[in-house]
Amino acid sequence: MKTSFVFDHPDDAVHAVAERLAWVAESETDSPQTDSPESVPPKTVPLEKSRGRILAADLLADRDSPASDVSAMDGYALRLEDCGRDAIPVVGSIPAGSPPPTLPVGAALKIFTGAVVPRGADCVIRLEDVRESPSEISLRTRADALEYGANIRRRGENLAAGQIIAKRGSRITAASMATLANFGHCEIPVHRQVRVALITTGDEVVPVQSVPEAYQLRNSNRCSVGAVLDQSAAVRLQECVHVSDSLGRLRETLEAQLGTADVIVLSGGVSMGDHDVVPEAVIAAGAEIVFHRLPIRPGKPLLAAVTPEGKLVVGLPGNPVSATINARLFVQAWLRKIAGQNDWQEPPIWVDLVEAPERTLPLHFYPMVARDQAGNYHSVASKGSGDLVALGHSEGFVHIPPGEPPVGRRQLYRW
């Protein structure tokens, strides 16, 4: 049996595949493109439907932010030179959303947060720093302690008109939607969704709604792996099909799906048994295998291949725990890369693992974990890669590098 690996670290394998993947960009024919996305006219979607999509162009501010000098506090707008007076007459008020008046010399105007600072005012005094009467105010603080421009947010201090507010390749979030709305972007240019096909394999696998015989298994991978692949709005799971362990049938299905999909994900048939026909079918369909087997558990038989057009083909193990973990760990990252997302590499989330399997492995180990009521993470007791009960009880999994003690500071991957 083969004992060496092309890549000793999973991250190296991820990058080796990522370098070969084609950009997915929008064109008039809605077909995948291999050139850079800036050369292809993007499509647009309404702002309210843009969350999770990937921007296909830089978006600019249509005006300064703030658009005028505005008050940062509820208080009084006045001239700094008038602050030394015992009493300052109040001649009106300025609510947010109203055009600013001119401040008379020697007077104050009551102002509310976000209102435009009146012409002639050079500071805003907070409500809590004054004594109020019906027609005038006096300061509670020393006049020489006040500063020019106090409590005023200056025009353009956030961003000037014409500057970039969102960069091409960024993922649109609920927070960034607020920014886009603020600058009047109603139709958002986005890359098209990555089209993914999921192919499950195995003569022993039957539909979920079936009543299986003792020697058969319900198709849980269609549900779990499909859900992992379909988590992003930048991805569209366009097809889920099941194929028997037949080289000819699998090759036909692969070739058909490669005609419309950007990514093909298979589960099962990827190891070295007599009925494991996925590697041969992948090669026959025209894809080049970048790696087959990694020093990881679960999921050592994992396979990744890329077609000459830059399309991705992934062969996941058939065992449901392995398939789900590997889809989350590897395929999600590649989908972000294909979608044109700049920060496609996942930022780490670190947790303290206080309880873990006792053994130390010479592999990159990804045990499933859960969090207890005290907030501590511990491994989920599991009988192996077919333990669907343990999978359902887990919150995610962590990475334990080869030879390291099981417990300690670990990177968490949530479902």
Side-chain angles (χ1 to χ4, degrees), residues 140-212:
R140 295 179 182 271
T141 59
R142 292 170 38 135
D144 58 8
L146 301 174
E147 297 181 353
Y148 179 85
N151 300 314
I152 295 176
R153 295 181 55 225
R154 293 300 183 185
R155 174 178 177 172
E157 70 174 36
N158 297 334
L159 201 72
Q163 290 186 306
I164 295 174
I165 58 169
K167 292 184 177 181
R168 176 179 57 85
S170 60
R171 185 177 67 89
I172 301 169
T173 64
S176 61
M177 288 175 71
T179 304
L180 299 179
N182 181 66
F183 292 99
H185 290 282
C186 301
E187 293 292 325
I188 311 302
V190 295
H191 295 313
R192 70 162 172 82
Q193 294 170 305
V194 181
R195 294 180 292 240
V196 180
L198 173 61
I199 303 173
T200 59
T201 69
D203 294 337
E204 77 282 14
V205 177
V206 298
V208 174
Q209 62 270 28
S210 300
V211 179

Side-chain angles (χ1 to χ4, degrees), residues 131-150:
R131 298 184 184 88
E132 296 180 284
S133 68
S135 60
E136 61 183 22
I137 58 170
S138 60
L139 271 61
R140 295 179 182 271
T141 59
R142 292 170 38 135
D144 58 8
L146 301 174
E147 297 181 353
Y148 179 85

Side-chain angles (χ1 to χ4, degrees), residues 18 21-26 32-33 35-38 42-43 52-57 167-172 189-196 229 231-236 262-263 310-312 331-345:
L21 299 176
W23 284 93
V24 169
E26 186 63 40
Q33 303 292 317
D35 48 1
S36 60
E38 57 262 47
K43 70 175 293 184
R53 301 297 294 270
I54 308 301
L55 273 177
K167 292 184 177 181
R168 176 179 57 85
S170 60
R171 185 177 67 89
I172 301 169
V190 295
H191 295 313
R192 70 162 172 82
Q193 294 170 305
V194 181
R195 294 180 292 240
V196 180
L229 301 178
Q231 284 187 4
S232 170
V235 174
R236 175 162 61 89
D262 307 299
V263 177
K311 295 186 176 185
L312 175 66
V331 184
Q332 278 191 357
W334 291 324
L335 290 176
R336 291 190 294 268
K337 178 67 164 58
I338 295 169
Q341 186 171 335
N342 293 332
D343 54 343
W344 62 273
Q345 295 176 271

Side-chain angles (χ1 to χ4, degrees), residues 324-411:
T324 310
I325 286 178
N326 282 260
R328 169 68 179 84
L329 182 63
F330 293 94
V331 184
Q332 278 191 357
W334 291 324
L335 290 176
R336 291 190 294 268
K337 178 67 164 58
I338 295 169
Q341 186 171 335
N342 293 332
D343 54 343
W344 62 273
Q345 295 176 271
E346 188 170 358
I349 300 173
W350 298 97
V351 299
D352 291 317
L353 187 64
V354 299
E355 181 185 355
E358 295 181 0
R359 62 188 183 278
T360 298
L361 298 176
L363 303 169
H364 293 269
F365 187 28
Y366 297 92
M368 295 178 290
V369 296
R371 183 172 44 178
D372 60 27
Q373 292 183 344
N376 298 316
Y377 283 86
H378 56 86
S379 62
V380 175
S382 173
K383 302 298 183 182
S385 292
D387 192 343
L388 284 160
V389 175
L391 179 63
H393 289 165
S394 66
E395 179 180 325
F397 54 93
V398 296
H399 178 206
I400 301 177
E404 291 195 9
V407 297
R409 195 76 167 164
R410 298 292 172 222
Q411 184 172 353

Side-chain angles (χ1 to χ4, degrees), residues 18-100:
E19 289 172 357
R20 304 185 184 206
L21 299 176
W23 284 93
V24 169
E26 186 63 40
S27 71
E28 292 182 1
T29 58
D30 200 34
S31 61
Q33 303 292 317
T34 57
D35 48 1
S36 60
E38 57 262 47
S39 66
V40 182
K43 70 175 293 184
T44 61
V45 296
L47 173 60
E48 59 270 18
K49 295 185 179 298
S50 67
R51 184 171 65 89
R53 301 297 294 270
I54 308 301
L55 273 177
D58 292 341
L59 297 183
L60 308 180
D62 68 336
R63 62 177 187 166
D64 295 335
S65 176
S68 303
D69 291 352
V70 297
S71 179
M73 299 282 181
D74 290 342
Y76 288 88
L78 65 166
R79 291 178 173 83
L80 197 60
E81 63 189 35
D82 293 329
C83 292
R85 301 174 58 181
D86 292 337
I88 306 171
V90 177
V91 295
S93 65
I94 312 171
S98 63

